[in-house]
Structure formats: structure tokens, C-alpha cells
Amino acid sequence: DDELRVTSPTYLLCNTYPSQDGMLIHHMDLYRLSGKEEDLQPLDMDHVLKECISLIEWPSRLGNMTPSKRLDITFRISHDDSEDNDSEEIERTLTLRAHGTQWEDRLKLLEEEGYVDD
């Protein structure tokens, strides 16, 4: 949906959106959780991780619930505010790390198709 506004789930813990094929996308921000399994129970993580698309901020809070097959995406934002530069340059870098052969194959395909730069 081109009109759909995706927002951070910071205070809600989870925002859920339908994908084009009907699968649910769960965008979660686990920052405020301790990492204890009982904190995750209301989010139905077992179902979400097995049956849905999951985008998880602060995935370290999943602890032993972290799926062995997954794609980790790390965002890095760096600012160049040196004196000889009149405008602040912002560089955004994404690092993709595949876990499991399914994600390794998907990442390799993205690289082969030119969607990923080194």
C-alpha cells in the first residue's frame, strides 16, 4: 500500500502490517524489554518468528529465542562535520549477515543481481 505509513513501534513494542501476499509483517522494538522470556510472551514470539515476517530492533533482547535462520541487518550512520566541510555529510551503511543456507542463498542472489555493493 503506497499510502501506508510505517512508524517506529518504540512505545507500542510492535506494529503489524499486511504484506502484499497477505502475510503479516511484525515490526518490533524490544529496547524496553529486559530479555527475559516472560517479557516476550505477550508478543507471541513463537508464532511471529515461525509464521510471519519479523523486523526486530534490539534483537539481542530475544536471548535464546533468536532464530538460527535469519538475516541480520546492521545500520550505521556516520556524520562528517569536519571544519573544511561546509555541509554535514551523512553516510549510511547497511551490513547484511546471513544465518542459514536459505538466507545465504537469498543474499547471494541479491549480490548477483547488483542490489548489494561491497
Side-chain angles (χ1 to χ4, degrees), residues 47-70:
H47 168 75
V48 168
L49 294 173
K50 290 180 182 174
E51 304 297 328
C52 305
I53 298 170
S54 306
L55 307 172
I56 302 174
E57 299 176 36
W58 297 91
S60 60
R61 303 291 204 271
L62 288 173
N64 64 0
M65 294 186 79
T66 303
S68 59
K69 299 173 185 175
R70 67 185 188 277

Side-chain angles (χ1 to χ4, degrees), residues 18-98:
S19 68
Q20 290 180 341
D21 65 1
M23 185 175 273
L24 291 178
I25 300 169
H26 292 268
H27 178 193
M28 300 181 172
D29 185 339
L30 305 181
Y31 176 75
R32 288 176 168 59
L33 301 182
S34 68
K36 295 179 184 172
E37 199 165 319
E38 58 265 17
D39 287 348
L40 299 170
Q41 285 177 347
L43 297 172
D44 196 11
M45 294 304 295
D46 190 49
H47 168 75
V48 168
L49 294 173
K50 290 180 182 174
E51 304 297 328
C52 305
I53 298 170
S54 306
L55 307 172
I56 302 174
E57 299 176 36
W58 297 91
S60 60
R61 303 291 204 271
L62 288 173
N64 64 0
M65 294 186 79
T66 303
S68 59
K69 299 173 185 175
R70 67 185 188 277
L71 179 66
D72 290 342
I73 304 173
T74 303
F75 291 82
R76 182 170 296 118
I77 301 173
S78 59
H79 301 272
D80 178 10
D81 44 352
S82 58
E83 289 184 29
D84 56 332
N85 187 353
D86 290 339
S87 65
E88 183 179 321
E89 295 288 324
I90 300 174
E91 180 179 298
R92 293 174 178 88
T93 305
L94 298 177
T95 304
L96 307 176
R97 184 168 174 228

Side-chain angles (χ1 to χ4, degrees), residues 10-22:
T10 301
Y11 296 103
L12 301 174
L13 298 181
C14 181
N15 288 337
T16 304
Y17 308 97
S19 68
Q20 290 180 341
D21 65 1

